[in-house]
Amino acid sequence: MLLRKLPWALAVTSALVALAAGCTSSDPSPAPTASAAGSPPAWTEPGSYSYVLTRGCDDAKPLGRYQVTVAAGAVSATDRLDASSVTPSANSDEDLGPVTGDTGEEIEAFTLKELIEMAQTATDDGAEVSTTYDTSDGHPTRVSIDVGDGPECWNVADYKVS
């Protein structure tokens, strides 16, 4: 008995699907885009922009803050915003780094495209990666990478296209 009803049920289901497919408005909806509803728009790196890069996962005690300027797709200037005035001592065991900074913490700043690429490479290598994007234009605002010994975080603020 079930076998006799199966072809009829399939025919009804096919008819309903065909009917639903034929019911479209005269104004077709636009083709879907790469960004789903609620996700940020795709971001294209501009040739010139600036931003503030904060390194560290603890917002109250960041490891470093840097004003980064990008021109022609490459970092053209980096200024540390939170550098404390430290004078090296002749008998100090503390490595003050290339610029007198707290415990020698100086980083090479990167473009936002390079930050996204770094996150993708870490993902490909098996790291736990979390990336947050600006909802208005899609530029990255936070990247967290954990390769197993605690996360490294980079926050982006004051992003301005030149």
Side-chain angles (χ1 to χ4, degrees), residues 3-139:
L3 292 177
R4 276 193 235 150
K5 290 184 180 181
L6 188 58
W8 181 82
L10 288 174
V12 170
T13 302
S14 297
L16 289 174
V17 168
L19 183 63
C23 293
T24 60
S25 66
S26 61
D27 183 22
S29 58
T33 60
S35 62
S39 65
W43 180 69
T44 302
E45 183 178 42
S48 300
Y49 59 94
S50 63
Y51 70 98
V52 173
L53 176 67
T54 303
R55 182 174 170 262
C57 298
D58 183 353
D59 292 338
K61 296 176 85 176
L63 299 174
R65 291 184 68 239
Y66 306 85
Q67 176 67 50
V68 181
T69 304
V70 176
V75 174
S76 61
T78 304
D79 296 310
R80 182 143 187 192
L81 300 176
D82 62 350
S84 57
S85 179
V86 178
T87 305
S89 168
N91 56 0
S92 174
D93 290 333
E94 188 78 22
D95 175 14
L96 296 174
V99 177
T100 55
D102 295 334
T103 65
E105 175 58 30
E106 291 297 323
I107 65 167
E108 183 174 327
F110 31 77
T111 67
L112 295 181
K113 181 180 177 185
E114 291 169 333
L115 179 62
I116 293 169
E117 290 169 350
M118 181 173 62
Q120 184 59 53
T121 299
T123 299
D124 294 346
D125 290 345
E128 185 177 316
V129 177
S130 171
T131 305
T132 305
Y133 299 91
D134 182 88
T135 56
S136 63
D137 73 358
H139 76 273

